[in-house]
């Protein structure tokens, strides 16, 4: 098996990275940065997001697994003291593959179309804190005119991230769905929005039409872009999926409880 290890590069993560590389190579596995079959992330969720975006062109060939050395490792199944056990299981290639859905963001401009994949979420805002004014269409019909700070389109696994802090629902990643959550919408006698998170199946798409030619701020997970000349944006559940190597049971709701409730 060919593998690659992405580290957060702090002292603990770097030591674990070195240990895992040495043991896996000694067992006959090959370190391969270009085309790994298994990508091991050592750090927090941000490290795994970076690994996902680095290898999103290999989603059909590559599985991911995370070792948690950060503050919150929602995607990481393993702690540093369990690395020896993980190494043994990797050497045996004894794992199941689970699949999580992604969100596709297509930003259509007059001269170019930008396409992105998100593991957690994609957001749309105005730079420099001005009010975002957009028309939101669901499938083919206009749904509402939104005014506020922005919108967040999240994946089911990303529903526990920024979406949760906005008051969105937590969605089990077995659902091929996406969620639209408002960011500080204006709701009064003059301006109205639905004011609630909305969950869409993979047969639906959300189309955004901008009302100004000014640049807009688009985020894709931890990546930030300021894009000018946007004509419309389409969000949908992506055809691509991310695959995780699962070496032992780790139920989603147990992960939620340990991340947000347990001391």
């Amino acid at each position: 098996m060919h593998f690659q290890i992405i580290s957060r590069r702090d002292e603990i993560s770097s030591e674990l990275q070195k240990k895992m590389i040495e043991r896996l190579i000694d067992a006959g596995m090959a370190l391969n940065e270009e085309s790994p079959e298994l990508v091991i992330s050592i750090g927090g969720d941000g490290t795994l997001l970076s690994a996902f975006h680095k290898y999103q062109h290999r989603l059909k060939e590559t599985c991911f697994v995370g070792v948690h050395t950060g503050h919150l490792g929602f995607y990481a199944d393993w702690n540093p003291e369990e690395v020896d056990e993980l190494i043994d299981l990797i050497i045996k290639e004894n794992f199941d593959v689970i699949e999580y859905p992604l969100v596709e963001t297509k930003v259509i401009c007059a001269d170019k179309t930008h396409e992105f994949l998100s593991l957690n979420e994609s957001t749309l805002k105005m730079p420099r804190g001005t009010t975002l004014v957009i028309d939101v269409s669901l499938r083919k019909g206009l749904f509402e005119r939104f005014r506020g700070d922005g919108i967040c389109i999240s994946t089911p696994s990303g529903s526990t991230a920024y979406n949760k802090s906005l008051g969105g629902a937590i969605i089990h990643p077995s659902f091929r769905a996406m969620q639209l959550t408002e960011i500080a919408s204006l709701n009064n006698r003059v301006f109205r929005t639905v004011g609630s998170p909305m969950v869409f199946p993979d047969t639906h798409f959300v189309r955004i039409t901008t009302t100004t030619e000014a640049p807009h701020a688009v985020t894709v997970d931890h990546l930030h872009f300021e894009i000018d000349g946007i004509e419309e944006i389409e969000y949908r559940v992506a055809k691509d999926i991310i695959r995780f190597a699962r070496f032992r049971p780790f139920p989603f709701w147990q992960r939620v409880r340990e991340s947000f409730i347990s001391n």
Side-chain angles (χ1 to χ4, degrees):
M1 179 187 291
H2 290 193
F3 73 95
Q4 167 67 341
I5 300 181
I6 306 294
S7 167
R8 195 174 60 165
R9 297 184 180 178
D10 61 282
E11 184 176 354
I12 294 175
S13 300
S14 296
E15 289 178 358
L16 290 174
Q17 180 185 34
K18 181 180 178 181
K19 175 181 181 178
M20 295 189 76
I21 289 174
E22 290 176 352
R23 282 203 55 193
L24 292 173
I25 290 177
D26 287 345
M29 299 182 66
L31 183 64
N32 187 330
E33 182 179 357
E34 295 300 321
S35 53
E37 298 164 83
L38 179 69
V39 172
I40 304 164
S41 165
I42 304 178
D45 284 347
T47 310
L48 195 138
L49 287 171
S50 296
F52 160 71
H53 283 279
K54 181 174 182 177
Y55 290 104
Q56 64 175 318
H57 64 289
R58 285 189 49 84
L59 293 178
K60 292 181 180 179
E61 298 86 15
T62 299
C63 288
F64 297 81
V65 63
V67 178
H68 166 50
T69 61
H71 296 293
L72 179 62
F74 197 87
Y75 287 114
D77 293 348
W78 298 86
N79 293 318
E81 60 271 18
E82 301 173 315
V83 161
D84 286 328
E85 179 185 354
L86 174 60
I87 293 171
D88 291 338
L89 291 170
I90 292 174
I91 292 170
K92 296 175 184 177
E93 298 188 25
N94 183 19
F95 61 89
D96 295 322
V97 175
I98 64 167
E99 301 176 348
Y100 283 4
L102 305 168
V103 162
E104 176 188 291
T105 301
K106 184 180 293 185
V107 183
I108 301 169
C109 304
D111 58 345
K112 186 177 182 180
T113 297
H114 308 266
E115 296 187 20
F116 307 100
L117 289 177
S118 300
L119 175 55
N120 269 0
E121 74 279 311
S122 178
T123 70
L124 177 66
K125 301 179 182 180
M126 294 295 292
R128 293 169 289 279
T130 56
T131 300
L132 175 71
V133 183
I134 53 175
D135 287 332
V136 181
S137 296
L138 306 183
R139 303 185 81 176
K140 296 182 180 180
L142 177 65
F143 181 74
E144 66 179 14
R145 171 158 288 190
F146 172 90
R147 291 175 174 86
D149 283 358
I151 59 169
C152 172
I153 307 287
S154 61
T155 67
S157 58
S159 67
T160 58
Y162 186 31
N163 167 80
K164 182 178 180 296
S165 70
L166 296 172
I170 295 178
I171 301 175
H172 195 282
S174 62
F175 290 99
R176 284 188 49 81
M178 64 181 182
Q179 181 172 186
L180 187 158
T181 306
E182 299 175 354
I183 306 172
S185 60
L186 294 176
N187 277 285
N188 50 43
R189 290 184 301 167
V190 179
F191 306 125
R192 299 295 299 169
T193 68
V194 69
S196 298
M198 295 184 289
V199 179
F200 304 102
D202 60 1
T203 55
H204 287 49
F205 63 87
V206 176
R207 176 175 290 126
I208 302 298
T209 306
T210 62
T211 62
T212 175
E213 296 182 356
H216 288 67
V218 177
T219 71
V220 180
D221 294 329
H222 60 296
L223 305 174
H224 297 254
F225 307 92
E226 190 168 311
I227 302 177
D228 199 1
I230 295 176
E231 294 184 345
E232 62 182 35
I233 303 176
E234 289 186 1
Y235 300 97
R236 66 180 69 234
V237 179
K239 293 181 180 179
D240 296 298
I241 49 88
I242 184 172
R243 304 188 307 149
F244 288 96
R246 182 59 48 81
F247 294 87
R248 60 184 179 184
F250 199 161
F252 176 76
W253 295 115
Q254 177 184 340
R255 192 184 303 259
V256 171
R257 184 178 187 279
E258 291 184 0
S259 297
F260 299 113
I261 300 175
S262 298
N263 294 324

